[in-house]
Every structure is written in C-alpha cells, then in structure tokens.
Amino acid sequence: QIQIQPEFIAKAYYYGNSLVPVSKTDEIRFKNEEMKCLKTIGFTDAFRVPRHFYMGGVDLVMPNPTNEKVIGAFKAIVEEMIKMNKVIIARYVYRTNSDPKLVVLIPHLAKKGPVFYLNTLPTIEDIRDYQFESLTNCTKNQEELVSKFIDSLDLGEGDEEQLKPSETYNPILQYFYQCLESKALSDD
C-alpha cells in the first residue's frame, strides 16, 4: 500500500466524460466570493431595453417601509425616471457567493407606493448561435395546396361565426360529468 502525501492530492471535476484536475490555488482563485448587492451601473432610455430582452420572472424592489426619508427619496427617483422615460441598468447578486446578474430596474408608481420592477437581462453567455439551412423555394402546386389548406381552416362564413364557444361542449368537462354520474349511480 502506497501512502500519498496531501500536497499531491487534487480535486477533479467532470467536464463531459473527462475528469479535469483543479489545484487548490486554482480553486481559491476561481471561487465566487460575491457579496449580496444591487449596484447601479447606469441609466438609459426605456426604449433601449425592449420587453423581449427580459430573461425570467419579475421581482419588486421597494423602499424600507419604516424609514420616511428613504421612501421620500425613492419616490422622487421613481417619479423623475418616469417623467424622463429612463430605466436603471444594475448588477444584482441575490445572495452571498451566488452568480451576479445584469438587471434592468423599471420605475412604477403603484397604489401602495413607488416600486421598481426588476428583470434579468441577457449577457453574451446567454446568446446561442443556431445555424439553419436555407429555405428551398416551393413549387406553384405546393403554394396552391397550402393556400387551400389555410382557407379550409376559416371558421367564419360571411358575418356569422361557425364555432360558438357557448354552444361547443368541452370534452374534459363532459368526461368529468360522465365519471361523476357513473360513480353516483353505481352500487359500489
């Protein structure tokens, strides 16, 4: 049995099927030591951050309800940003040692007071470059078939609607009521 000295032992992590050794110095160097924070990077016009950039759910940022000075300052910033049609770009670390995110803070005056809507923005790591083949040109016959198919999907003839939701049975409810009736009338 061979005794291995502690300085020759290294951690290894899987990368696909391969094990990649990581020394203690590399582990310390690359360790994520972020403190919890929400730090403003800058202000920009609201039109520069379109809604389709948002990456996930929405969080609310509100002032401390026990401090009147903070509420007043918060409200002043929100009102002025709304007047100027501006948003805040910020760096957000949800909890200590978690990954930082790029976020946008959108001002809003709610009934209960001023708030910011916080949405995550994409970064370069979120961009996926998918390569698709070019589309081939279709023939006249294919165009006519697709046109006829689309016309057949039309539910309206003239001004009257063919599919009236109030008169259409829901198959899920129908099945539920059949099961309910069956259980109610059975002896078991």
Side-chain angles (χ1 to χ4, degrees):
Q1 198 172 32
I2 300 172
Q3 189 80 22
I4 299 175
Q5 299 299 320
E7 61 266 9
F8 295 115
I9 297 175
K11 285 186 178 180
Y13 295 95
Y14 277 103
Y15 183 75
N17 292 333
S18 307
L19 274 173
V20 178
V22 177
S23 67
K24 287 186 179 184
T25 54
D26 286 341
E27 194 171 10
I28 291 169
R29 186 177 342 148
F30 293 117
K31 189 175 181 182
N32 189 7
E33 294 185 6
E34 297 287 340
M35 297 301 294
K36 182 178 179 177
C37 75
L38 178 62
K39 188 175 183 180
T40 300
I41 295 173
F43 294 83
T44 188
D45 295 318
F47 75 89
R48 295 188 186 275
V49 188
R51 179 165 275 202
H52 65 271
F53 281 8
Y54 304 164
M55 294 278 297
V58 178
D59 291 322
L60 283 179
V61 177
M62 298 182 293
N64 182 350
T66 60
N67 191 333
E68 290 298 323
K69 289 182 181 178
V70 170
I71 293 172
F74 197 90
K75 186 175 182 180
I77 290 173
V78 167
E79 287 175 347
E80 198 59 33
M81 285 178 65
I82 290 172
K83 280 183 200 171
M84 297 175 70
N85 201 21
K86 298 282 186 182
V87 294
I88 296 175
I89 305 295
R91 181 178 187 272
Y92 180 50
V93 180
Y94 178 68
R95 73 173 72 95
T96 302
N97 294 335
S98 67
D99 292 330
K101 294 181 180 181
L102 184 68
V103 297
V104 60
L105 297 169
I106 302 144
H108 178 71
L109 282 174
K111 290 179 183 176
K112 293 188 177 184
V115 295
F116 281 114
Y117 293 129
L118 183 142
N119 289 293
T120 305
L121 293 175
T123 57
I124 194 70
E125 289 86 16
D126 299 314
I127 296 173
R128 306 288 186 260
D129 188 26
Y130 296 114
Q131 299 295 324
F132 296 102
E133 292 182 24
S134 297
L135 296 174
T136 58
N137 291 333
C138 59
T139 64
K140 282 285 186 195
N141 187 30
Q142 289 173 329
E143 281 184 34
E144 289 172 9
L145 286 173
V146 170
S147 181
K148 286 179 185 176
F149 175 68
I150 291 171
D151 291 341
S152 72
L153 296 175
D154 189 13
L155 295 175
E157 274 185 38
D159 293 335
E160 189 169 338
E161 183 179 350
Q162 297 295 322
L163 178 68
K164 298 178 181 173
S166 60
E167 297 175 8
T168 305
Y169 293 106
N170 183 334
I172 295 170
L173 287 177
Q174 214 170 6
Y175 178 71
F176 171 75
Y177 289 126
Q178 283 175 353
C179 291
L180 190 64
E181 181 182 7
S182 168
K183 286 189 175 198
L185 297 176
S186 72
D187 294 336
D188 297 335

